[in-house]
Amino acid sequence: MNAVITLISGLLFGLGLAFSEMTNPAVVIGFLDIFGEWNPSLIIVMASAIAVGMLGYFIKSKQTKPLLAGKWQIPTLRHIDSKLVLGSAIFGIGWGISGYCPGPGLTALVNNPSEGFYFVIALLIGSGGHYLQTRFTQK
Amino acid sequence: MDTIFNPLVGGLLIGLTTTVYLLSTGKVIGISGILAQLLFSKARLLPLLFIAGLIIGGSAYGVLTEQTVAMPETRSPLLLILSGLLVGYGTRLGSGCTSGHGVCGIARLSPRSIVATLIFMTTAIITVAFLH
């Protein structure tokens, strides 16, 4: 059942990204280009997604545990550290360069394979680089 | 884009998905985290199913509506590689991306996610301003 819900969630999430045109880097760059020809449509995407998400957390507060799992696994960290700040800043620069964040970048493998290939390989290497760095520094 | 229909429906669908996933599995949706689980954890089935679904769903829309995804221009592989490296490394160091911090985190009013989102939006806007 968990597998079915996870697969359907992936499908619906991808459909939502495509429908909102987050999968189109031209639309994303248009949204980030506030000093140029600004395309504000992604504000509507973010606002509507967050509004429904808030409703979700309200329903969650009435539930003792998830329907299919024993406990909640929601991030509990609250402190703001240099990793969060530096990592987010680096991510934003990468996002601004291509207009791809991780989800839309993965869909580019099909939507625009010539771009998706380079982006996703580099995405995996960057992610792996952090994984190795963490393992190395923990020893 | 001349109507708010597409962004509204797309956003509602994204919010609905994070809610259904949260209430059934107890977890938040963060694409960079799910991708890292697929690569570096031992439990690979669920992240694999999610990522496969994401790619199918994200490309099915274009096929169903016979709409080709418009590209700004052909971009250099070097820029795409640089972008991928920064997105891959930055999202792991910062513990999240647009979905995990921007949607799920803000929806539960996490201070970390609100700060992260403000920072990546700002550096992305500055980057676009420089490049265009």
Side-chain angles (χ1 to χ4, degrees), chain A residues 21 24 68 73 94 98 115 133, chain B residues 1 23-24 26 70 75 83 89:
Chain A
E21 294 198 69
N24 182 346
L68 300 175
Q73 296 179 52
S98 67
E115 290 208 337
Q133 183 197 3
Chain B
M1 167 122 19
L23 297 178
S24 52
R75 276 118 30 115
S83 166
Y89 183 81

Side-chain angles (χ1 to χ4, degrees), chain A residues 6 9-10 14 19 21 24 48-49 54 57 67-68 73 79 87-89 92 94 98 101 111-112 115 119 122-123 128 130 133, chain B residues 1 6 11 17 22-24 26 28 40 46 53-54 58 61 70-71 75 81 83-84 89-90 92 98 107 112 116 120 123-124:
Chain A
T6 303
S9 296
F19 215 85
E21 294 198 69
N24 182 346
S48 50
M54 283 180 163
Y57 283 100
L67 295 170
L68 300 175
Q73 296 179 52
H79 68 284
S88 301
S98 67
C101 54
N111 285 336
N112 188 13
E115 290 208 337
F119 179 83
L123 175 73
H130 178 261
Q133 183 197 3
Chain B
M1 167 122 19
N6 270 48
T17 309
L22 170 76
L23 297 178
S24 52
V28 301
F40 311 117
L46 292 179
L54 175 81
Y61 174 76
M71 289 302 135
R75 276 118 30 115
I81 290 168
S83 166
Y89 183 81
R92 295 326 304 141
T98 341
R112 275 171 63 84
F120 68 65
T123 55

Side-chain angles (χ1 to χ4, degrees), chain A residues 35-79:
Chain A
F35 303 110
E37 279 186 45
W38 191 43
N39 171 1
S41 69
L42 292 194
I43 287 184
I44 300 168
V45 181
M46 293 281 286
S48 50
I50 290 168
V52 177
M54 283 180 163
L55 196 65
Y57 283 100
F58 176 75
I59 300 170
K60 175 202 163 280
S61 69
K62 310 280 173 197
Q63 261 178 253
T64 50
K65 65 184 187 71
L67 295 170
L68 300 175
K71 60 176 170 54
W72 302 104
Q73 296 179 52
I74 293 159
T76 51
L77 290 180
R78 292 184 71 81
H79 68 284

Side-chain angles (χ1 to χ4, degrees), chain B residues 65-117:
Chain B
T65 59
E66 295 180 347
Q67 180 188 310
T68 50
V69 179
M71 289 302 135
E73 71 256 18
T74 309
R75 276 118 30 115
S76 85
L78 269 180
L79 276 183
L80 292 162
I81 290 168
L82 177 65
S83 166
L85 289 173
L86 294 173
V87 170
Y89 183 81
T91 51
R92 295 326 304 141
L93 183 66
S95 315
C97 57
T98 341
S99 49
H101 282 314
V103 176
C104 291
I106 292 184
R108 62 171 203 282
L109 300 175
S110 153
R112 275 171 63 84
S113 292
I114 293 168
V115 168
T117 306

